[in-house]
Amino acid sequence: MDNVLDVVGIEKKYPGVIANRDVALTVKAGSIHAIIGENGAGKSTLMKILYGLIRPDAGHIKAFGKDVELKSPQDAIALGIGMVHQHFKLADNATVLENVILGSEPTRMGFIINFDQARKKLVEIAEHYGLEIDPDESLSNLGVGERQRVEIAKVLFRGAKILILDEPTAVLVPQEVEELFSNLRELVKRGLTVLFISHKLDEVLSIADEITIMRQGATVASRTPKSTNKVELAELMVGGELPKPRAGATKSTGESLISIKNASYMRQDGRQVLNNLSLELKGGEILGLAGVEGNGQSELIELIMGLVKPSGGTVEILGLDATKTLTKDIRNAGVAYIPQDRQRDGLLMSAPLWENRVLGHQFASPMANNAWVNKGEAIEDSKRVVSEFDVRTPGINVLASALSGGNQQKFIVGRELSGSPKVILAAQPTRGVDVGAQAIIWDHLMKARSEGAGILLISADLDELFSLSDRIAVIYSGSIVATLDPNKTTPEQLGLAMTGAKSA
Amino acid sequence: MTKNRIFWAVAAPVAAILNSLLFIYIILKIRGVDPLSMFSLMISYGFDPRNLVSELNQTIAYYLAGVAAAIGFKMLLFNIGIDGQYRMGAFFGAVVGGAVALPPVLHVLLIVITAMIAGGLWAAIAGYLKVRRGVNEVISNIMLNFIAAAVISYLLLPSMLGTLPEGSQTAQTFPIPASGQMPTIKAFDGEIYSFLFVAIFVGIAYWVMLNKTVFGFNLKATGLSFRAARASGVNAPRMIFVTTVLSGAIAGLVGIGTLLSDTHKYSMAFPAGYAFTGLALALLGRNHPVGIFFAAFLWSFLERSAPVLEFEGVPPEIVIVMQGTIVLSIVIAYEVVARINLRQQQRAVGSVSAEAQPIKESN
C-alpha cells in the first residue's frame, strides 16, 4: 500500500508554548488512521497544519508522494485533503444541496448556478460511497448525524481523497456513531483515506487500522489495534512518568464545605447531563475532578455557583442551600470561581483591568462600600495582583482584551484568590499559561489549601491532577464513577476510568 | 494616558461633524450657492440670543431623550420605545397634574414622579417581553409606540380623561393649575424652562450611577458580557429588566419641561420622533452625559437655524441631511478610534510582555 501522507519533523512554536514538536506521521492509502491524545496534546494543531490553516515552523509534508507546501485550505483542497470540523459549518435555512455546493458551485456561463449538474454529481457521490442523503431536504430538519453526513458529502464534492475528521463522535449518540463508522468503512473501501481524531479508546480500537498517539505536542508511538490494548493506549496518552512529588501534606480540617447528594440536572434540550451525582469537599483539601470534557463538569460548577437549579438532589455549599441561594450570596460566603472559559465567563473584555478586579467581588467589602464601588481599593489591589501574579501589562487601565490569554488567566486567578476564599472552584486554572505562571498558580492554590480552603480542581492535565490533588474524583456521563487516591493510582488507571472503562 | 484618552474621545465627534460639513459644503456648491456664507448665516442666526433660548429649551427635551437612550445602550438595549414612553409620561403627568390641587413644590414633584412611573411602566412591558419571552425589544418597542399614541388619543376623548375647550379643535388634558407649574428664567428676551435644572440633575445622577455605584457596575457588566456578569453574581435578566424600566422612566421626563413651563396641558400637538433623535444623540455623545449635552444642543441649534436658509433659496431639509451624515460619520469614526485604541494598548502590552498569545485549545 502506498503512503498518502508522509509527515516528518513538524514543529510549531508559539512564544512560551510548543504546540507541535518532532511530529512524524505516516498514513497509508485506504486506511482509517486514528490520532489520539489528551486535550492540548497537539492533535488539533497538527490537523490544522495538514489542512493548511496553520503553517508549521519546520518540517516536511509529503502528500501522495510529492513534497507539498500548504499555505491555505484551498491548497489542501486542491491536493485532495478535506476536513470535517467538529462544529459544523452549515447554513440552517438552506437545503442539503445548497449547503454542499456553497463555495464551489458548478456554473453555467460563469455565473448561473448549474443546479442540475450539482444535483447529479451529489447523487452520484452519495450512491458511490453509500451516504444516505436527500439533496432537497432542508437542513433545519436534519439531526446531528445527518448533518455530519452532509459535511462529509461537502468534502467529497470538492474531490477529497483524504478526509480529516476532528473528533467526529463527540457530538453523536451511540447509534449515530455506529452509522458514522459504517460510512467511514465504506469510504475507505472505495479508496479514500480517513484521518480521525479522538480520545475515546474503545472507538479507536474498533474502527482504526492504525493509531498514532500524541503527547505534549509530539507523536510518541504508533500502534495497530491488534498490537495494543486500552491500558497501553491510556498509558501512552497520559505518559508513563510518575507524577511529581507533592509539596506539603494534606491537612484536612474535616469541615464539610461542599456536599452534593444525588444531584441531577437536565439541560433545556432534554439531555440529562448530571445523573445522581454525589460529591463532598472538605476544608484543607484539593479534590481533583478528572474527566473527559463534556461529561458534566461545567454543569456541576454552575450548580454549585447557584447558576442553574438541579432537577433533583441537594447541593450544599458553606452551609447554604445552593438551589435556593443567589449566586452573589454564594460568592459573598467565600466562594472563588476560576471559570474554564475565561474570556466569556471570567472577564469583561472591553473593560479596564481594575474594573475586572471588581467583577465577582462587587457585592462586598473591600471592592464595595455598600452601594458604592471602591475604585481606589480596586486600583490598589489590581496593582497587587499584577505584581504578585506576574501579569504582563503596562498598567491597570488597559482593557482586558489587550492582554494575552495567559496573562488574562493569571489576572483572574489572582483576583479570585484575593480575600482568603473558603472554597475555590478552579476549572482549568493553568490552561494556556506558561510554565512559570503555572508554578505561581500552583503555589497559590497549595497555600490556600494549607490555610484551610477547600479546592475543587477541574483539569484536563493529568500531571496537574496527580501533583495537586489529595483525592481524585472521576466524572463520567454526569456521575462520579470513582474516587481515587492519587498515591495509589497509576495514570493508566485514571485514564481508563475517565474513558468509562470499568477497571484496569 | 488620560490626556490621550480625552483627545481620542473628542477627536471622533469632531471628525464626524467636519466630515458632515464637508459633505454639505459640496452639496451647496453643486446647488450654486456659497456654502461659507450659508454657514455664517446659520451661525449668526443660531447664536442670536432669542434663538439661543428656544434652542436651550429644546435641548432639555433632546438631552433627556439622549440620556434615556444612553442608559439602554449601556445594556446593549436599543430603546426605540422612547417615543411611546415620553408620550405616556407627558400624558399621565398632565392628567394627574390637572386633576389635583397641592402645595406648589409637591404638585410639581407629583407630576414629575407620575411621568417617570408612566414612562417606566410602559417600558416595563418591553422589558418583561424581552427577559421572560425573548422578544426583541426593538420590535416590541416600535409596536408599543403605536399603541401608546392610539391609547392616548382614546384617553384624550372628552368622555374619558380629556376635554375639548370651546372654540378648539384638538382634545387636550385639563390645564395644570399654577401650583403645578414651573417658573421660567428670564434671559435674552426669552424664558428658559427651569426644568433645565432637572435635566442637569439627571445627567449628574446618570454619571454617578454608572461610574460610582455597584448598581451601575452591574449594569455595565451585564451589557459588556451577560455570561461574565451572571457568573460574578449579578442577576443579569433582572438587571436587563430594571435597566429597561429606568430608561423608560427618564424617557417619561422628555416632555415635562414643555408641559410644566409652557403648555401646562397635554395635547396631540406634542411632537413625535424623540426615539430616533435620542438614539442618535446618545451615539454622538458617546453615552457620556456631557457629550450628550453638546450633541443635544447641536441638534437644536441646527433645527432652529435651518429655516433661515430658505430666504436664500436653500431648502431647510438640508439640516436633516447634515444630521444624517453626522450620525453615519460618527459610527465609522468611533469604530476607527476604538481600533486605534486597542492597537495602541496591545502594542503597549506587547512591549512589557515577552510572552505572546499561547495556543488556543480546541481539541
Side-chain angles (χ1 to χ4, degrees):
Chain A
M1 251 196 289
D2 293 337
N3 293 340
V4 289
L5 271 181
D6 262 307
V7 175
V8 195
I10 289 284
E11 192 174 280
K12 181 70 195 174
K13 279 183 189 163
Y14 295 93
V17 192
I18 297 167
N20 271 171
R21 62 186 161 98
D22 302 331
V23 171
L25 180 68
T26 303
V27 182
K28 289 184 183 135
S31 68
I32 297 182
H33 195 117
I35 295 181
I36 63 168
E38 274 295 300
N39 287 324
K43 306 181 298 265
S44 276
T45 305
L46 177 58
M47 293 305 111
K48 283 178 186 157
I49 287 171
L50 293 178
Y51 189 53
L53 282 166
I54 299 176
R55 300 189 68 182
D57 300 331
H60 297 284
I61 301 172
K62 233 185 200 180
F64 304 104
K66 272 180 277 177
D67 278 321
V68 293
E69 203 181 339
L70 301 166
K71 290 178 188 153
S72 69
Q74 281 72 31
D75 288 356
I77 291 165
L79 280 167
I81 301 173
M83 183 154 175
V84 175
H85 296 272
Q86 185 179 353
H87 304 285
F88 306 146
K89 299 172 189 303
L90 298 168
D92 246 7
N93 49 0
T95 66
V96 169
L97 180 65
E98 285 163 351
N99 266 291
V100 167
I101 65 174
L102 186 67
S104 60
E105 301 87 349
T107 54
R108 268 182 217 154
M109 297 184 297
F111 63 95
I112 297 170
I113 299 178
N114 191 339
F115 277 106
D116 294 339
Q117 192 193 330
R119 178 176 288 104
K120 208 172 139 227
K121 188 173 166 193
L122 177 59
V123 169
E124 276 172 20
I125 288 172
E127 274 174 11
H128 185 66
Y129 294 111
L131 286 175
E132 253 180 72
I133 47 174
D134 174 1
D136 299 311
E137 185 69 71
S138 165
L139 206 79
S140 52
N141 296 335
L142 299 188
V144 178
E146 293 163 308
R147 282 165 191 245
Q148 194 169 48
R149 276 207 291 280
V150 175
E151 280 279 14
I152 292 173
K154 213 167 120 180
V155 174
L156 295 175
F157 191 85
R158 285 155 178 75
K161 297 280 173 281
I162 304 173
L163 262 76
I164 301 172
L165 293 120
D166 187 2
E167 299 209 32
T169 60
V171 288
L172 301 178
V173 299
Q175 302 91 295
E176 290 172 329
V177 170
E178 259 325 298
E179 259 178 74
L180 169 70
F181 283 1
S182 79
N183 280 328
L184 292 184
R185 289 194 187 98
E186 199 66 32
L187 294 181
V188 293
K189 233 185 265 172
R190 308 273 172 198
L192 297 189
T193 307
V194 172
L195 213 56
F196 169 92
I197 302 183
S198 183
H199 48 218
K200 293 183 185 163
L201 303 180
D202 284 325
E203 287 176 8
V204 167
L205 286 168
S206 85
I207 180 87
D209 300 314
E210 297 201 44
I211 303 165
T212 296
I213 301 102
M214 291 189 77
R215 187 174 70 233
Q216 290 170 359
T219 46
V220 292
S222 284
R223 295 286 185 273
T224 63
K226 287 195 190 91
S227 70
T228 190
N229 55 49
K230 263 171 95 171
V231 177
E232 192 200 13
L233 287 180
E235 189 183 345
L236 286 166
M237 257 167 75
V238 299
E241 312 110 20
L242 285 168
K244 293 172 209 157
R246 292 214 314 281
T250 162
K251 285 179 279 180
S252 172
T253 59
E255 181 196 1
S256 174
L257 301 180
I258 296 180
S259 170
I260 300 173
K261 294 202 178 77
N262 303 317
S264 297
Y265 174 64
M266 194 186 277
R267 263 197 334 221
Q268 273 186 333
D269 61 10
R271 246 191 84 198
Q272 184 86 26
V273 277
L274 293 180
N275 239 323
N276 275 326
L277 182 143
S278 298
L279 179 148
E280 181 154 43
L281 175 71
K282 291 197 164 72
E285 73 162 351
I286 297 179
L287 174 62
L289 189 68
V292 175
E293 243 168 81
N295 272 289
Q297 292 96 322
S298 324
E299 288 80 6
L300 173 62
I301 292 274
E302 294 196 336
L303 212 60
I304 297 173
M305 288 300 292
L307 289 166
V308 298
K309 307 293 170 216
S311 43
T314 59
V315 182
E316 208 181 273
I317 178 161
L318 295 170
L320 300 168
D321 180 352
T323 63
K324 293 199 182 84
T325 311
L326 293 174
T327 304
K328 86 173 183 188
D329 294 327
I330 292 175
R331 280 230 182 226
N332 276 354
V335 178
Y337 174 30
I338 301 165
Q340 175 172 340
D341 191 337
R342 58 182 164 235
Q343 300 194 340
R344 292 177 72 180
D345 293 327
L347 289 172
L348 305 173
M349 293 292 279
S350 40
L353 279 187
W354 74 262
E355 285 194 3
N356 275 290
R357 169 64 188 86
V358 178
L359 189 70
H361 300 257
Q362 71 266 42
F363 298 104
S365 178
M367 287 300 121
N369 297 327
N370 301 316
W372 303 91
V373 172
N374 195 340
K375 183 174 174 180
E377 184 63 32
I379 286 174
E380 279 313 304
D381 206 59
S382 302
K383 289 178 182 159
R384 176 191 65 80
V385 170
V386 164
S387 78
E388 221 169 277
F389 286 81
D390 188 28
V391 180
R392 308 282 171 82
T393 169
I396 48 145
N397 280 317
V398 298
L399 305 183
S401 56
L403 264 56
S404 73
N407 281 307
Q408 290 170 353
Q409 182 69 5
K410 287 187 264 180
F411 190 84
I412 292 176
V413 174
R415 169 184 80 197
E416 293 303 325
L417 295 183
S418 315
S420 320
K422 297 196 191 80
V423 169
I424 299 163
L425 305 172
Q428 319 290 0
T430 60
R431 176 177 277 186
V433 307
D434 56 276
V435 183
Q438 190 174 35
I440 297 175
I441 292 172
W442 283 352
D443 280 349
H444 275 90
L445 288 176
M446 286 189 293
K447 189 164 145 257
R449 175 185 64 177
S450 68
E451 285 161 4
I455 299 169
L456 182 61
L457 172 70
I458 298 179
S459 182
D461 176 351
L462 295 195
D463 280 347
E464 180 169 80
L465 281 178
F466 270 107
S467 48
L468 290 182
S469 308
D470 298 302
R471 293 186 295 145
I472 298 178
V474 182
I475 189 168
Y476 182 76
S477 291
S479 307
I480 301 295
V481 291
T483 305
L484 308 168
D485 179 344
N487 294 319
K488 294 176 187 150
T489 308
T490 61
E492 301 83 78
Q493 287 168 329
L494 179 60
L496 273 180
M498 282 165 59
T499 45
K502 290 288 168 259
S503 64
Chain B
M1 182 89 201
T2 327
K3 245 189 220 163
N4 198 8
R5 270 210 339 247
I6 292 170
F7 170 76
W8 285 110
V10 176
V14 169
I17 291 164
L18 287 180
N19 185 43
S20 160
L21 283 176
L22 181 72
F23 187 69
I24 299 297
Y25 183 94
I26 293 168
I27 290 182
L28 291 176
K29 204 77 182 168
I30 290 169
R31 277 191 69 96
V33 288
D34 176 22
L36 291 179
S37 73
M38 289 298 124
F39 291 152
S40 74
L41 193 66
M42 275 178 79
I43 288 171
S44 64
Y45 183 78
F47 278 115
D48 181 77
R50 212 157 354 146
N51 292 325
L52 264 181
V53 168
S54 80
E55 281 157 23
L56 204 56
N57 286 338
Q58 183 60 56
T59 300
I60 297 171
Y62 280 163
Y63 182 68
L64 290 166
V67 172
I71 293 174
F73 276 146
K74 280 287 172 190
M75 185 56 95
L76 298 187
L77 291 171
F78 201 75
N79 185 3
I80 204 160
I82 289 173
D83 240 19
Q85 294 146 14
Y86 128 79
R87 277 177 190 286
M88 281 295 175
F91 173 73
F92 281 104
V95 167
V96 170
V100 299
L102 280 173
V105 178
L106 276 182
H107 199 158
V108 167
L109 211 59
L110 177 73
I111 295 171
V112 169
I113 289 170
T114 306
M116 291 181 78
I117 292 174
L121 284 180
W122 196 247
I125 301 172
Y128 173 83
L129 288 173
K130 181 177 178 71
V131 172
R132 281 299 165 85
R133 294 278 173 263
V135 179
N136 187 305
E137 80 278 4
V138 173
I139 298 183
S140 55
N141 271 323
I142 289 175
M143 305 223 207
L144 282 167
N145 285 345
F146 286 109
I147 297 170
V151 166
I152 288 172
S153 50
Y154 171 69
L155 290 177
L156 269 177
L157 290 176
S159 57
M160 301 301 294
L161 299 168
T163 171
L164 195 62
E166 263 180 69
S168 168
Q169 294 296 318
T170 47
Q172 48 193 242
T173 59
F174 289 98
I176 299 171
S179 60
Q181 300 181 359
M182 257 179 125
T184 55
I185 307 153
K186 301 252 184 301
F188 311 121
D189 309 329
E191 293 178 68
I192 303 171
Y193 305 160
S194 51
F195 202 68
L196 176 68
F197 296 109
V198 176
I200 292 171
F201 174 77
V202 166
I204 294 171
Y206 163 74
W207 187 87
V208 170
M209 182 270 286
L210 213 54
N211 292 294
K212 298 286 173 191
T213 67
V214 172
F215 176 84
F217 181 86
N218 292 343
L219 195 161
K220 280 191 293 184
T222 311
L224 289 173
S225 166
F226 182 88
R227 283 180 49 156
R230 203 165 143 261
S232 82
V234 177
N235 186 341
R238 191 169 148 257
M239 205 64 214
I240 292 177
F241 177 77
V242 172
T243 306
T244 310
V245 173
L246 195 64
S247 176
I250 302 300
L253 292 176
V254 167
I256 300 302
T258 314
L259 181 74
L260 294 183
S261 292
D262 183 15
T263 63
H264 308 305
K265 57 184 188 281
Y266 182 89
S267 72
M268 289 316 270
F270 266 59
Y274 278 112
F276 282 111
T277 310
L279 293 164
L281 297 179
L283 207 58
L284 184 57
R286 230 184 170 182
N287 298 332
H288 191 281
V290 177
I292 298 169
F293 173 79
F294 282 116
F297 180 75
L298 177 69
W299 241 239
S300 315
F301 178 89
L302 290 176
E303 282 174 7
R304 182 75 188 174
S305 56
V308 74
L309 298 180
E310 222 166 348
F311 299 124
E312 306 295 322
V314 177
E317 281 76 17
I318 195 86
V319 161
I320 299 174
V321 178
M322 205 184 242
Q323 291 174 335
T325 47
I326 290 177
V327 172
L328 273 181
S329 318
I330 199 75
V331 174
I332 298 165
Y334 281 145
E335 189 55 37
V336 170
V337 166
R339 283 185 197 179
I340 293 174
N341 255 332
L342 184 64
R343 217 171 308 139
Q344 276 185 343
Q345 291 206 357
Q346 274 169 341
R347 213 172 298 140
V349 169
S351 66
V352 298
S353 170
E355 178 214 76
Q357 204 80 18
I359 39 170
K360 279 236 171 75
E361 297 212 27
S362 59
N363 58 340

mmCIF file with all atom_site columns, all heavy atoms in Angstrom, chain A residues 136 176 378 472 490 504:
data_model
loop_
_atom_site.group_PDB
_atom_site.id
_atom_site.type_symbol
_atom_site.label_atom_id
_atom_site.label_alt_id
_atom_site.label_comp_id
_atom_site.label_asym_id
_atom_site.label_entity_id
_atom_site.label_seq_id
_atom_site.pdbx_PDB_ins_code
_atom_site.Cartn_x
_atom_site.Cartn_y
_atom_site.Cartn_z
_atom_site.occupancy
_atom_site.B_iso_or_equiv
_atom_site.pdbx_formal_charge
_atom_site.auth_seq_id
_atom_site.auth_comp_id
_atom_site.auth_asym_id
_atom_site.auth_atom_id
_atom_site.pdbx_PDB_model_num
ATOM 1  N N   . ASP A 1 136 ? -32.608 17.569 -1.486 1.00 0.00 ? 136 ASP A N   1
ATOM 2  C CA  . ASP A 1 136 ? -33.577 18.662 -1.395 1.00 0.00 ? 136 ASP A CA  1
ATOM 3  C C   . ASP A 1 136 ? -34.144 18.863 0.002  1.00 0.00 ? 136 ASP A C   1
ATOM 4  O O   . ASP A 1 136 ? -34.970 19.742 0.219  1.00 0.00 ? 136 ASP A O   1
ATOM 5  C CB  . ASP A 1 136 ? -34.715 18.420 -2.388 1.00 0.00 ? 136 ASP A CB  1
ATOM 6  C CG  . ASP A 1 136 ? -34.182 18.385 -3.797 1.00 0.00 ? 136 ASP A CG  1
ATOM 7  O OD1 . ASP A 1 136 ? -33.425 19.312 -4.150 1.00 0.00 ? 136 ASP A OD1 1
ATOM 8  O OD2 . ASP A 1 136 ? -34.478 17.420 -4.528 1.00 0.00 ? 136 ASP A OD2 1
ATOM 9  N N   . GLU A 1 176 ? -25.693 6.783  16.291 1.00 0.00 ? 176 GLU A N   1
ATOM 10 C CA  . GLU A 1 176 ? -25.144 7.607  15.214 1.00 0.00 ? 176 GLU A CA  1
ATOM 11 C C   . GLU A 1 176 ? -23.670 7.292  14.995 1.00 0.00 ? 176 GLU A C   1
ATOM 12 O O   . GLU A 1 176 ? -23.170 7.333  13.876 1.00 0.00 ? 176 GLU A O   1
ATOM 13 C CB  . GLU A 1 176 ? -25.329 9.092  15.535 1.00 0.00 ? 176 GLU A CB  1
ATOM 14 C CG  . GLU A 1 176 ? -26.778 9.541  15.475 1.00 0.00 ? 176 GLU A CG  1
ATOM 15 C CD  . GLU A 1 176 ? -26.983 10.969 15.976 1.00 0.00 ? 176 GLU A CD  1
ATOM 16 O OE1 . GLU A 1 176 ? -26.230 11.416 16.873 1.00 0.00 ? 176 GLU A OE1 1
ATOM 17 O OE2 . GLU A 1 176 ? -27.880 11.640 15.456 1.00 0.00 ? 176 GLU A OE2 1
ATOM 18 N N   . ALA A 1 378 ? -9.921  49.161 44.403 1.00 0.00 ? 378 ALA A N   1
ATOM 19 C CA  . ALA A 1 378 ? -9.847  48.297 43.219 1.00 0.00 ? 378 ALA A CA  1
ATOM 20 C C   . ALA A 1 378 ? -8.548  48.549 42.468 1.00 0.00 ? 378 ALA A C   1
ATOM 21 O O   . ALA A 1 378 ? -7.873  47.620 42.019 1.00 0.00 ? 378 ALA A O   1
ATOM 22 C CB  . ALA A 1 378 ? -11.046 48.536 42.312 1.00 0.00 ? 378 ALA A CB  1
ATOM 23 N N   . ILE A 1 472 ? -8.855  12.187 43.944 1.00 0.00 ? 472 ILE A N   1
ATOM 24 C CA  . ILE A 1 472 ? -9.299  12.459 42.580 1.00 0.00 ? 472 ILE A CA  1
ATOM 25 C C   . ILE A 1 472 ? -10.639 11.766 42.363 1.00 0.00 ? 472 ILE A C   1
ATOM 26 O O   . ILE A 1 472 ? -10.755 10.546 42.513 1.00 0.00 ? 472 ILE A O   1
ATOM 27 C CB  . ILE A 1 472 ? -8.286  11.951 41.527 1.00 0.00 ? 472 ILE A CB  1
ATOM 28 C CG1 . ILE A 1 472 ? -6.947  12.684 41.691 1.00 0.00 ? 472 ILE A CG1 1
ATOM 29 C CG2 . ILE A 1 472 ? -8.828  12.192 40.112 1.00 0.00 ? 472 ILE A CG2 1
ATOM 30 C CD1 . ILE A 1 472 ? -5.877  12.219 40.722 1.00 0.00 ? 472 ILE A CD1 1
ATOM 31 N N   . THR A 1 490 ? -2.363  4.674  39.228 1.00 0.00 ? 490 THR A N   1
ATOM 32 C CA  . THR A 1 490 ? -1.466  4.993  38.121 1.00 0.00 ? 490 THR A CA  1
ATOM 33 C C   . THR A 1 490 ? -2.238  5.844  37.115 1.00 0.00 ? 490 THR A C   1
ATOM 34 O O   . THR A 1 490 ? -3.469  5.795  37.059 1.00 0.00 ? 490 THR A O   1
ATOM 35 C CB  . THR A 1 490 ? -0.999  3.711  37.410 1.00 0.00 ? 490 THR A CB  1
ATOM 36 O OG1 . THR A 1 490 ? -2.158  3.056  36.898 1.00 0.00 ? 490 THR A OG1 1
ATOM 37 C CG2 . THR A 1 490 ? -0.255  2.798  38.367 1.00 0.00 ? 490 THR A CG2 1
ATOM 38 N N   . ALA A 1 504 ? -9.088  -1.432 35.299 1.00 0.00 ? 504 ALA A N   1
ATOM 39 C CA  . ALA A 1 504 ? -7.873  -1.605 34.510 1.00 0.00 ? 504 ALA A CA  1
ATOM 40 C C   . ALA A 1 504 ? -7.491  -3.080 34.470 1.00 0.00 ? 504 ALA A C   1
ATOM 41 O O   . ALA A 1 504 ? -7.651  -3.770 35.452 1.00 0.00 ? 504 ALA A O   1
ATOM 42 C CB  . ALA A 1 504 ? -6.739  -0.811 35.127 1.00 0.00 ? 504 ALA A CB  1
#
